[in-house]
């Protein structure tokens, strides 16, 4: 009875504070007691994935994946759009950096080609191909993967990332066509690469996933909040596939 009386006397905020100190992330408020705070809104904080707030959260995980596999980024490397990640993570191990783009207005690109129909690109050429969030933008993604496999050298490495959750643009000409899970994607890649030479990893958790959808900037979350990966709530997944 004394305990119940004390609970009634102590403000909910104080009780919450001590429970959070005691249980940490395992603390679950009772029904009706969740404090939504700034998240109680029907519109995101930014409409551009957090670029105006310091950059998108998914970039943190893309860079974490590429940093882990930086030893694969060497020799002749192909990247789409620009070569920021090639030079940033391959550094002096890269002997030649090629930039591919379907858009001929991209002045950075030295190869103008469509990965789905690129018979003119020579086979067995690249030691590494980097495709970060590219496949979801290609309708005929199987043809693109077939090209990537063909132009890799034997033992060459494909480093690929794809988003799991993202907003659907209202623009009917939106360039995002697919949202494929890593489980499905591994089966698709097995049409080109030996399944034993394909590895995948999921990055993110419920906080980073919801924050990404809300348009929160990457620097607004802490290293501790990024460090926990929950396979049930990934923001992205990364794939490493090696050509036989």
């Amino acid at each position: 009875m004394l305990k119940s009386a004390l609970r009634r006397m102590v403000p909910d905020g104080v009780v919450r504070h001590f429970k959070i100190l005691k249980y940490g992330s395992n603390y679950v408020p009772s029904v009706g007691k969740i404090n939504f705070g700034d998240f109680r809104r029907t519109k995101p904080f930014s409409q551009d994935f957090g670029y105006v707030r310091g950059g998108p959260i998914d970039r943190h995980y893309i860079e974490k994946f590429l940093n882990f596999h930086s030893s694969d980024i060497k020799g002749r490397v192909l990247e789409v759009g620009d070569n920021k990640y090639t030079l940033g993570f391959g550094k002096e191990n890269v002997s030649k950096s090629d930039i591919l783009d379907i858009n001929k207005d991209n002045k950075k690109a030295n190869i103008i080609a469509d990965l789905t129909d690129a018979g003119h690109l020579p086979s067995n050429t690249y030691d590494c191909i980097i495709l970060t969030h590219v496949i979801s933008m290609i309708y005929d993604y199987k043809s693109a993967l077939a090209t990537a496999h063909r132009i890799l050298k034997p033992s060459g490495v494909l480093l690929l990332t794809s988003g799991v959750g993202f907003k659907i643009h209202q623009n009917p000409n939106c360039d995002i066509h697919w949202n494929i899970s890593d489980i499905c994607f591994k089966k698709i890649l097995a049409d080109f690469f030996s399944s034993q030479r394909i590895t995948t990893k999921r990055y993110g958790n419920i906080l980073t996933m919801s924050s990404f959808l809300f348009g929160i900037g990457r620097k607004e979350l802490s290293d501790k909040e990024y460090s926990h990966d929950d396979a049930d709530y990934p923001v992205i997944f990364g794939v490493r596939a090696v050509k036989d």
Side-chain angles (χ1 to χ4, degrees), residues 176-211:
I176 295 178
H177 298 289
W178 306 105
N179 186 8
I180 304 172
S181 72
D182 58 316
I183 297 172
C184 179
F185 203 85
K186 191 171 183 179
K187 293 178 180 179
I188 293 167
L189 274 177
D191 290 340
F192 311 101
F193 297 83
S194 297
S195 57
Q196 297 83 359
R197 308 198 77 181
I198 303 170
T199 56
T200 65
K201 179 169 174 54
R202 300 175 186 178
Y203 296 88
N205 56 65
I206 188 63
L207 174 62
T208 56
M209 164 63 84
S210 55
S211 297

Side-chain angles (χ1 to χ4, degrees), residues 36-105:
F36 286 93
D38 291 334
F39 279 85
R40 190 156 210 151
R41 57 192 296 124
T42 58
K43 292 185 178 181
F45 299 107
S46 71
Q47 294 279 357
D48 65 349
F49 304 103
Y51 275 105
V52 298
R53 300 180 66 88
I57 284 171
D58 62 348
R59 294 301 182 271
H60 172 89
Y61 294 117
I62 291 172
E63 292 167 13
K64 182 177 180 180
F65 167 75
L66 292 175
N67 184 60
F68 185 80
H69 294 292
S70 59
S71 60
D72 292 321
I73 306 173
K74 60 186 179 181
R76 188 169 183 179
V77 182
L78 178 70
E79 188 173 349
V80 173
D82 59 39
N83 60 356
K84 174 185 175 182
Y85 291 141
T86 298
L87 301 182
F89 294 97
K91 299 179 181 178
E92 68 276 359
N93 294 322
V94 176
S95 58
K96 181 170 175 53
S97 170
D98 288 330
I99 301 172
L100 180 146
D101 203 323
I102 195 171
N103 180 10
K104 54 187 175 183
D105 294 329

Side-chain angles (χ1 to χ4, degrees), residues 75-187:
R76 188 169 183 179
V77 182
L78 178 70
E79 188 173 349
V80 173
D82 59 39
N83 60 356
K84 174 185 175 182
Y85 291 141
T86 298
L87 301 182
F89 294 97
K91 299 179 181 178
E92 68 276 359
N93 294 322
V94 176
S95 58
K96 181 170 175 53
S97 170
D98 288 330
I99 301 172
L100 180 146
D101 203 323
I102 195 171
N103 180 10
K104 54 187 175 183
D105 294 329
N106 183 353
K107 303 304 181 184
K108 297 179 181 178
N110 64 322
I111 299 175
I112 302 301
D114 180 350
L115 274 178
T116 67
D117 184 20
H120 60 290
L121 297 182
S123 302
N124 305 314
T125 299
Y126 293 100
D127 297 285
C128 180
I129 296 176
I130 300 174
L131 299 179
T132 54
H133 284 40
V134 170
I135 291 298
S136 62
M137 299 181 181
I138 300 175
Y139 182 74
D140 186 7
Y141 62 89
K142 285 193 174 183
S143 293
L145 291 172
T147 297
H149 179 268
R150 179 179 62 79
I151 64 178
L152 274 173
K153 292 179 180 178
S155 298
V157 179
L158 171 65
L159 297 177
L160 180 151
T161 65
S162 185
V164 177
F166 48 79
K167 78 173 188 179
I168 299 175
H169 294 272
Q170 297 185 59
N171 184 348
N173 297 317
C174 169
D175 54 3
I176 295 178
H177 298 289
W178 306 105
N179 186 8
I180 304 172
S181 72
D182 58 316
I183 297 172
C184 179
F185 203 85
K186 191 171 183 179
K187 293 178 180 179

Side-chain angles (χ1 to χ4, degrees), residues 24-42:
S25 60
N26 292 321
Y27 167 63
V28 179
S30 56
V31 176
K33 296 293 185 179
I34 293 177
N35 182 3
F36 286 93
D38 291 334
F39 279 85
R40 190 156 210 151
R41 57 192 296 124
T42 58

